[in-house]
Amino acid sequence: MRSAGAIVRVGYPWWLRPFLHRRTIAITLGRRIYVAAGHATDALLRHELVHVRQAEQLGVPRFLWRYAAEYIRNRRRGMAHDDAYRAISFEAEAFAAEREQPV
């Protein structure tokens, strides 16, 4: 399945699985969106497509660096995993897009 230059795959490649949090239902790496079986919804795809755009604008290495740095900074401030994840600026933008109603 393709959308806006993105490639959506159901399931995760073997090499990625050891790095994923157990509750991960989707992850975007560059233009590739990996979604756990049974979780591909329009809202989730809107969320992940924001990450595709963010990575295109910044470049994948810079996007990943900033994403990880924000998460680590949030954790060092004492936030729990879920709070630290949701406080990442890239995630705040993606969650906002997830809530938008398509026209």
Side-chain angles (χ1 to χ4, degrees):
M1 179 180 346
R2 288 180 180 267
S3 179
I7 300 167
V8 180
R9 304 252 189 246
V10 175
Y12 305 113
W14 65 270
W15 55 267
L16 184 58
R17 289 183 203 135
F19 302 103
L20 298 177
H21 190 274
R22 59 184 159 79
R23 294 182 307 195
T24 300
I25 60 170
I27 188 168
T28 297
L29 297 173
R31 290 184 174 179
R32 291 195 179 346
I33 300 171
Y34 298 101
V35 181
H39 290 279
T41 64
D42 288 343
L44 179 66
L45 291 176
R46 282 194 304 275
H47 177 113
E48 297 302 326
L49 286 170
V50 168
H51 293 319
V52 170
R53 181 184 48 74
Q54 292 165 338
E56 284 177 351
Q57 288 176 340
L58 293 173
V60 174
R62 190 170 175 205
F63 169 76
L64 292 174
W65 175 260
R66 286 184 50 190
Y67 189 102
E70 282 191 43
Y71 176 78
I72 292 166
R73 194 168 33 255
N74 292 339
R75 291 290 286 176
R76 284 188 176 161
R77 290 180 180 146
M79 292 182 183
H81 165 74
D82 288 341
D83 295 331
Y85 161 72
R86 288 185 174 273
I88 297 168
S89 62
F90 299 117
E91 289 300 336
E93 183 182 354
F95 278 113
E98 189 174 323
R99 292 186 296 272
E100 290 176 5
Q101 295 300 318
V103 182

